[in-house]
Amino acid sequence: MPSSGPFQRLPPLVVGLVIGLVAIEAVLQLGAQGLIGGPQAAGWRLEAMTRFGFSAPLFDYMVETRRPTADGLMRFITYPTVHSGAMHAIFGAVLLLALGKAVAERFSQAAMAGILLAGTIAGALAYGFLLDSRVLLVGIYPGVYGLIGAFSWWLFTASDSAARGRIAAFRLIGVLAGLQLLFRLLVGGGDEWVAHLAGFATGFALAPLLAPDGGARLRRWRDRARQR
């Protein structure tokens, strides 16, 4: 008889992504503690952030010169793999686990991956275009906020009760925004909220295109709006 435990119900793709994030953070933590890699391992995190983090100045250079580089383009998808510290990584992994499961179950694993990727890229684009920051953008959060946007759309267009769906959607946003604010107060933060907001908007916009019943949900929402 197959197990019905909570880990059996997690989508394999979500589990794989979370394991990857945790493994990378574990290696960086072990290196910082001097348990692996020798003395030079203490600088692994800074080296990883410098090598894989999204750089707004590099992005500006590519835009101004119209000469995209392989390194600059790869940073659009490599920056989520590195975090600024253990709490940054753990909180991101927990959110990815929860939101990835929720979106994959209601859309599909492929749609979840597409929304995560689109939110990641949109977050980097917003960070590069709207800010003049020399702080590297790192972390899974813009992609996760893309999942939050998609899940919020799903709740917002729930067929059982439009009002209940809206309340649930904005409650989810409020709770996650509050947790993010608490995290920033505890460990510090910068202008990465711009990337988070872009990720959320992207996920919300893509949701009706990727949801299995996206068209029907939109029609129901439109009909309810006309009846008011």
Side-chain angles (χ1 to χ4, degrees):
M1 178 181 298
S3 172
S4 60
F7 290 101
Q8 291 296 112
R9 296 192 296 268
L10 289 173
L13 180 57
V14 174
V15 174
L17 291 172
V18 171
I19 289 176
L21 291 183
V22 173
I24 291 171
E25 182 59 32
V27 170
L28 296 179
Q29 287 292 328
L30 291 173
Q33 298 299 321
L35 299 177
I36 60 173
Q40 67 272 18
W44 278 356
R45 185 182 302 277
L46 180 59
E47 181 181 350
M49 291 174 64
T50 302
R51 184 174 179 180
F52 299 112
F54 179 78
S55 169
L58 177 57
F59 174 75
D60 291 340
Y61 170 80
M62 291 193 299
V63 172
E64 292 171 2
T65 62
R66 299 182 180 180
R67 294 175 59 186
T69 65
D71 174 59
L73 294 176
M74 285 298 297
R75 289 170 184 262
F76 278 93
I77 57 175
T78 59
Y79 80 85
T81 63
V82 185
H83 292 79
S84 60
M87 287 299 297
H88 193 219
I90 292 172
F91 191 43
V94 170
L95 287 177
L96 176 58
L97 194 66
L99 272 302
K101 178 179 185 295
V103 172
E105 288 177 345
R106 290 160 178 82
F107 292 73
S108 69
Q109 289 196 70
M112 184 278 297
I115 293 169
L116 183 68
L117 178 61
T120 296
I121 294 174
L125 286 172
Y127 195 82
F129 273 120
L130 301 179
L131 299 176
D132 185 20
S133 175
R134 295 190 174 276
V135 177
L136 293 168
L137 176 65
V138 294
I140 193 66
Y141 293 88
V144 166
Y145 269 80
L147 300 179
I148 295 172
F151 188 57
S152 297
W153 177 88
W154 190 89
L155 292 173
F156 191 80
T157 58
S159 59
D160 56 341
S161 169
R164 188 181 306 169
R166 291 188 180 93
I167 292 172
F170 288 110
R171 182 184 299 159
L172 172 68
I173 298 168
V175 168
L176 291 170
L179 290 173
Q180 183 71 4
L181 176 61
L182 177 61
F183 177 80
R184 290 186 64 188
L185 291 175
L186 291 175
V187 303
D191 294 326
E192 66 274 4
W193 65 268
V194 173
H196 300 171
L197 184 60
F200 175 87
T202 300
F204 196 92
L206 287 177
L209 303 177
L210 298 177
D213 57 346
R217 281 175 169 268
L218 286 176
R219 286 192 295 271
R220 287 196 300 266
W221 179 85
R222 182 182 57 193
D223 292 341
R224 286 196 299 263
R226 287 176 175 175
Q227 292 171 5
R228 294 187 59 180

